[in-house]
């Protein structure tokens, strides 16, 4: 979920070494000896996700000896670039992992198969309808969510408690959160958390708490320059007060937990992140971390939502769409596959599978599952997948806020610049 803050290219040597260890990463190809059907399956992720995924793939191949799955993975940035190149060249993999921000682009570009054509091989009956709708473009189901995640305030449990500041709670507001950041900074001499002005994801939660949206249903901006000015004025004031991370810390953010202020030797006491990737903090914060809800609007309206952490889709050009659909069905609906995958991509979207594996989850998988269970029934439906231009606009959002945090532009100047560029991008 880069969309989610999981975007990071691992060093090439690391990826190649792991691929060799798994003996499964391979290039393109569509046949092997024995007349097997060959499917290329690609995804992004970290070594833990790769190991679990490979184990699930091996189980599928054991049950379907007529199908061979050729797998490859990388960090998000490298994956995104490679997939774009493959899609442009008409060589998209048979089965691909997709981010929220990719669906509109690839569906509209004719890269993805309408999954209704393979409904007999792929069951979606047990997937929440709100989540399922996020993979629909122009009335057609082009992708299905594989797991769900949600944003969180993840914090250093011991340091927060030792500071004597009231712990985060469900229903707290953005003003409550700001007061906590100030109190933590005053009592510990460290910023209370990461500056959320950099994060389009956090801004969306803030907007939704006011009854607004990042995008309208007709794929235009759902907010004004005034809305963004208020948000950036709010976060910039906290930065100036020392309540959240300074510019030189915030601009090191790259989508990995390792380069957050919380993850870099405890240079802040909390971070706003997605729940599943927050597992990376366990090794970085020896005293332990806790997941808390994102702040709500001042009237209690939740801006947080369950978002598909990632999707699976089939290339329209695949020569084996039925087998590809069968593989996706296995990854989504098979109980044994779910036990192997755990929460490495988030909590399963198949409701019956989710209920059955929950008692057996351990460690941070259980932490994520319990956190999500505490929010069930309290959050609004997720928005539709954003327009294809959002991928570029996420970078623009970060760039323009850098101008604010380094005091080269006022929040209003930066907001007006962003909105102008966003409108142009969405019209192109």
């Amino acid at each position: 979920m880069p969309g989610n803050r999981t975007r990071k290219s691992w060093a090439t040597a690391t990826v190649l070494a792991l691929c060799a260890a798994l003996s499964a990463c391979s290039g393109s190809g569509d046949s092997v000896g024995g007349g097997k059907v060959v499917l290329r399956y690609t995804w992004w992720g970290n070594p833990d996700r790769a190991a679990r995924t490979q184990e699930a793939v091996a189980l599928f191949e054991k049950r379907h000896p007529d199908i061979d799955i050729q797998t490859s993975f990388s960090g998000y940035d490298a994956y995104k670039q490679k997939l774009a190149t493959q899609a442009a060249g008409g060589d998209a993999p048979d089965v691909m992992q997709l981010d929220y921000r990719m669906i509109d682009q690839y569906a509209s570009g004719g890269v993805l198969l309408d999954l209704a054509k393979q409904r007999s091989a792929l069951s979606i009956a047990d997937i929440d309808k709100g989540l399922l709708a996020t993979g629909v473009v122009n009335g057609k189901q082009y992708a299905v969510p594989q797991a769900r995640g949600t944003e969180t305030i993840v914090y250093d449990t011991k340091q927060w408690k030792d500071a004597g500041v009231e712990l985060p709670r469900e229903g707290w507001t953005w003003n409550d959160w700001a007061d906590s950041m100030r109190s933590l900074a005053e009592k510990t001499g460290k910023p209370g958390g990461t500056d959320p002005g950099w994060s389009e994801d956090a801004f969306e939660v803030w907007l939704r708490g006011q009854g607004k949206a990042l995008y309208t249903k007709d794929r235009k901006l759902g907010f004004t320059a005034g809305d963004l000015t208020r948000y950036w004025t709010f976060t910039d004031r906290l930065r100036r007060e020392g309540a959240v991370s300074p510019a030189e810390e915030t601009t090191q953010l790259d989508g990995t937990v390792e380069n957050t202020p919380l993850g870099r030797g405890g240079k802040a006491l909390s971070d706003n992140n997605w729940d599943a990737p927050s597992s990376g903090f366990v090794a970085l914060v020896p005293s332990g971390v806790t997941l808390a809800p994102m702040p709500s609007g001042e009237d209690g309206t939740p801006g947080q939502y369950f978002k598909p952490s990632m999707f699976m889709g089939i290339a329209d050009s695949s020569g084996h769409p039925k087998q590809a659909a069968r593989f996706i069905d296995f990854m989504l609906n098979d109980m044994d596959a779910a036990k192997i995958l755990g929460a490495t991509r988030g909590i399963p979207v198949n409701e019956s599978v989710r209920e059955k594996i929950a008692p057996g989850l351990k460690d941070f998988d259980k932490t994520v599952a319990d956190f999500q269970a505490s929010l069930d029934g309290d959050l609004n439906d997720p928005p539709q997948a954003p327009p294809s231009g959002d991928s570029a606009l996420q970078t623009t959002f970060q760039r323009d806020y850098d101008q604010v945090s380094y005091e080269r532009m006022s929040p209003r100047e930066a907001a007006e610049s962003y909105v102008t560029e966003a409108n142009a991008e969405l019209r192109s």
Side-chain angles (χ1 to χ4, degrees):
M1 243 141 273
N4 83 51
R5 284 172 50 189
T6 58
R7 303 185 310 278
K8 176 66 179 174
S9 297
W10 273 263
T12 300
T14 302
V15 173
L16 291 178
L18 184 60
C19 286
L22 294 176
S23 301
C25 291
S26 63
S28 62
D30 56 11
S31 64
V32 294
K36 289 185 178 182
V37 166
V38 178
L39 299 177
R40 287 185 299 148
Y41 168 44
T42 63
W43 76 95
W44 73 85
N46 58 23
D48 173 66
R49 180 181 295 170
R52 294 201 206 188
T53 301
Q54 199 56 50
E55 187 179 350
V57 166
L59 178 60
F60 176 83
E61 290 177 326
K62 182 178 180 180
R63 293 185 183 175
H64 300 84
D66 58 328
I67 302 175
D68 183 75
I69 308 291
Q70 294 184 342
T71 63
S72 66
F73 85 101
S74 63
Y76 182 81
D77 286 341
Y79 178 87
K80 181 171 65 172
Q81 293 166 10
K82 183 177 181 180
L83 184 60
T85 300
Q86 290 174 319
D91 188 37
D94 298 276
V95 181
M96 64 197 89
Q97 185 170 291
L98 298 161
D99 181 66
Y100 212 40
R101 293 178 167 88
M102 298 175 180
I103 295 172
D104 183 79
Q105 174 186 353
Y106 289 132
S108 301
V111 175
L112 296 176
L113 179 75
D114 176 4
L115 295 178
K117 297 178 180 179
Q118 295 299 329
R119 190 61 55 83
S120 62
L122 173 57
S123 173
I124 56 175
D126 290 330
I127 299 177
D128 176 84
K129 297 300 184 290
L131 287 172
L132 198 60
T134 61
V136 173
V137 177
N138 295 327
K140 296 181 179 180
Q141 190 83 47
Y142 285 103
V144 288
Q146 187 173 6
R148 74 178 192 182
T150 188
E151 282 195 82
T152 178
I153 299 294
V154 54
Y155 63 92
D156 183 318
T157 312
K158 184 177 186 304
Q159 287 203 61
W160 192 305
K161 288 182 177 178
D162 288 350
V165 177
E166 183 181 1
L167 295 177
R169 64 190 185 283
E170 188 171 354
W172 68 331
T173 67
W174 281 98
N175 282 336
D176 293 332
W177 168 83
D179 288 342
S180 293
M181 296 301 100
R182 293 184 179 103
S183 295
L184 288 169
E186 180 181 351
K187 294 187 177 184
T188 68
K190 300 179 181 180
T194 301
D195 183 348
W198 185 85
S199 171
E200 185 195 58
D201 292 332
F203 175 56
E204 182 179 32
V205 171
W206 184 85
L207 272 177
R208 284 169 58 90
Q210 300 181 54
K212 300 186 178 183
L214 203 58
Y215 297 104
T216 63
K217 291 185 177 180
D218 58 355
R219 288 170 154 65
K220 297 178 181 178
L221 284 185
F223 62 92
T224 65
D227 294 321
L228 185 52
T229 297
R230 284 189 290 277
Y231 178 70
W232 277 347
T233 298
F234 170 68
T235 60
D236 184 52
R237 180 180 299 120
L238 290 170
R239 179 194 60 78
R240 290 171 181 267
E241 294 172 358
V244 296
S245 56
E248 57 269 22
E249 288 287 337
T250 307
T251 52
Q252 294 190 47
L253 295 171
D254 58 8
T256 66
V257 296
E258 290 82 1
N259 280 331
T260 61
L262 174 62
R264 297 179 70 246
K267 294 188 176 182
L269 275 68
S270 67
D271 187 55
N272 51 284
N273 215 306
W274 293 90
D275 51 5
S278 293
S279 63
F281 285 115
V282 174
L284 301 171
V285 183
S287 56
V289 293
T290 299
L291 304 182
M294 290 291 286
S296 300
E298 292 307 306
D299 64 353
T301 300
Q304 185 172 357
Y305 60 92
F306 286 125
K307 169 190 170 184
S309 54
M310 53 205 65
F311 296 76
M312 297 185 79
I314 298 172
D316 190 58
S317 59
S318 174
H320 308 289
K322 180 169 289 187
Q323 290 87 345
R326 194 173 297 153
F327 175 61
I328 293 178
D329 184 80
F330 170 81
M331 296 292 274
L332 293 178
N333 301 320
D334 186 88
M335 190 64 62
D336 292 325
K339 289 177 181 177
I340 292 169
L341 295 171
T344 188
R345 285 176 170 83
I347 300 301
V349 290
N350 180 311
E351 295 179 6
S352 60
V353 168
R354 185 167 67 242
E355 291 174 2
K356 290 177 181 176
I357 72 164
L361 292 176
K362 299 177 181 177
D363 303 324
F364 206 80
D365 286 354
K366 177 174 171 52
T367 298
V368 173
D370 290 346
F371 175 60
Q372 290 197 12
S374 73
L375 300 173
D376 268 326
D378 296 334
L379 307 183
N380 294 325
D381 282 343
Q384 65 184 10
S388 56
D390 178 67
S391 185
L393 289 178
Q394 190 178 39
T395 301
T396 303
F397 191 93
Q398 295 160 0
R399 181 203 69 197
D400 285 350
Y401 188 66
D402 285 347
Q403 299 299 307
V404 175
S405 58
Y406 277 111
E407 301 182 16
R408 295 168 184 154
M409 298 176 74
S410 69
R412 176 166 294 281
E413 289 170 334
E416 290 175 348
S417 173
Y418 176 82
V419 168
T420 298
E421 188 165 340
N423 284 329
E425 176 71 31
L426 295 172
R427 283 195 297 268
S428 62

